[in-house]
Amino acid sequence: QKQREPGPEQEQAMKALAEQQKQLEDEILRLAEEAKQRKNPEARRALEDAVEASRKAQQAMQQGEEEESQQQQEQTQKKLEQAREELEEERDSYLDQRQEELLFRMKEELRAFLEKQQPITLETEALQAEADKGSLSRPSRRKLNQFAEEEQALSKRVETMVTALTEEGNLVYRTVLQANRDDLLEIARRLAGRNPDPSRFTTMLQRDVEKRSQDLFAALERLARTIELRLS
């Protein structure tokens, strides 16, 4: 019976097994490349077992042993799943670490940003009182022009944070910082030129920028504590 020509049903079954074998081999190669890049020994051991089971499945197919081939393919799939889990666990740990590093960097950036922005806001409000009483003196206009340059520089620092959040796919925090960047550019425009405008609208924009930054800083601290608890 083993020497008989296979019937249509058996040919169809062996064809399906061959297609599945090709898919398994492709998945082995893909995961092997990822495991090599990540240098994950547990995943590599699981893949070595998957390769051995795949080899046995291929031999069984060549000998027309359908049941044995199916069993070895199931073993291959089991070992591939184990390798995936090992790589996903490492990937999640890596992403948590990257996120934690980004949050720490953002917190420090926001802290430094507020240290520079708050004095500018206070001095702009003081010059606003001067403007309300009459025209601004030349030294006051020069001071406001200097603030315009500083606000422009701060907007570039915020843009750096926006770029980092975009790369990480964090749209919520990015939206907050984009609003800050836009307001800082508008503040810089108002304080620049021969007739700088330290009006209440200008200082309101400055206070809005500060408030968003303070709220975002507090949110980052809460998130950092949550990550620490999860990792511990």
Side-chain angles (χ1 to χ4, degrees):
Q1 289 178 345
K2 287 183 179 180
Q3 293 174 354
R4 285 187 319 183
E5 289 294 326
E9 291 184 1
Q10 187 178 4
E11 285 185 351
Q12 189 66 27
M14 296 304 291
K15 182 179 179 181
L17 284 171
E19 291 175 354
Q20 186 172 358
Q21 182 69 17
K22 177 64 168 59
Q23 293 173 359
L24 290 171
E25 290 171 358
D26 290 343
E27 183 67 359
I28 288 173
L29 290 174
R30 186 187 71 79
L31 290 175
E33 182 63 27
E34 186 174 352
K36 180 180 178 181
Q37 291 175 355
R38 295 184 177 276
K39 298 180 180 179
N40 187 311
E42 291 81 5
R44 292 183 68 174
R45 280 194 290 271
L47 285 168
E48 288 171 1
D49 292 341
V51 168
E52 179 63 18
S54 177
R55 184 184 63 79
K56 291 178 179 178
Q58 183 69 32
Q59 289 178 343
M61 271 195 299
Q62 292 172 353
Q63 296 170 5
E65 298 175 357
E66 181 181 344
E67 185 176 349
E68 176 63 17
S69 180
Q70 286 178 336
Q71 290 177 355
Q72 292 300 329
Q73 284 188 352
E74 288 173 2
Q75 180 68 8
T76 303
Q77 289 176 329
K78 180 180 177 181
K79 291 300 179 180
L80 284 175
E81 184 59 32
Q82 182 180 340
R84 288 191 203 98
E85 289 175 358
E86 293 289 348
L87 290 170
E88 285 173 6
E89 183 177 345
E90 181 186 357
R91 194 182 301 118
D92 289 344
S93 176
Y94 171 72
L95 291 175
D96 282 342
Q97 184 179 355
R98 277 190 59 178
Q99 186 179 35
E100 191 174 11
E101 290 172 356
L102 176 62
L103 294 180
F104 177 79
R105 196 165 74 244
M106 280 188 59
K107 280 172 57 183
E108 293 307 304
E109 283 288 336
L110 286 169
R111 193 196 309 275
F113 170 81
L114 286 167
E115 287 176 357
K116 289 183 175 296
Q117 179 60 51
Q118 288 169 337
I120 295 174
T121 302
L122 288 172
E123 291 194 54
T124 304
E125 289 174 338
L127 292 171
Q128 178 191 109
E130 179 185 331
D132 289 343
K133 294 177 182 178
S135 60
L136 289 164
S137 65
R138 183 174 296 177
S140 294
R141 289 197 298 272
R142 283 201 300 267
K143 190 69 173 176
L144 289 170
N145 289 165
Q146 178 187 335
F147 291 159
E149 293 175 2
E150 291 177 6
E151 298 286 42
Q152 182 80 28
L154 286 173
S155 74
K156 291 180 180 178
R157 292 185 66 170
V158 172
E159 178 64 32
T160 300
M161 288 189 279
V162 170
T163 301
L165 288 170
T166 301
E167 291 173 354
E168 292 297 319
N170 191 318
L171 304 182
V172 177
Y173 296 158
R174 186 188 71 176
T175 301
V176 173
L177 290 173
Q178 280 179 328
N180 275 2
R181 179 201 59 192
D182 294 344
D183 281 354
L184 287 167
L185 290 173
E186 176 61 18
I187 294 164
R189 187 189 69 79
R190 286 173 166 272
L191 298 181
R194 303 175 69 178
N195 295 301
D197 175 24
S199 64
R200 295 187 185 280
F201 184 75
T202 302
T203 54
M204 181 193 74
L205 290 176
Q206 290 174 323
R207 289 295 181 187
D208 286 346
V209 168
E210 288 183 23
K211 180 66 166 55
R212 290 193 206 101
S213 300
Q214 289 165 344
D215 290 346
L216 182 54
F217 184 86
L220 290 173
E221 282 198 318
R222 290 193 298 270
L223 183 57
R225 285 196 295 269
T226 300
I227 291 175
E228 288 174 4
L229 287 172
R230 187 174 66 187
L231 293 177
S232 63

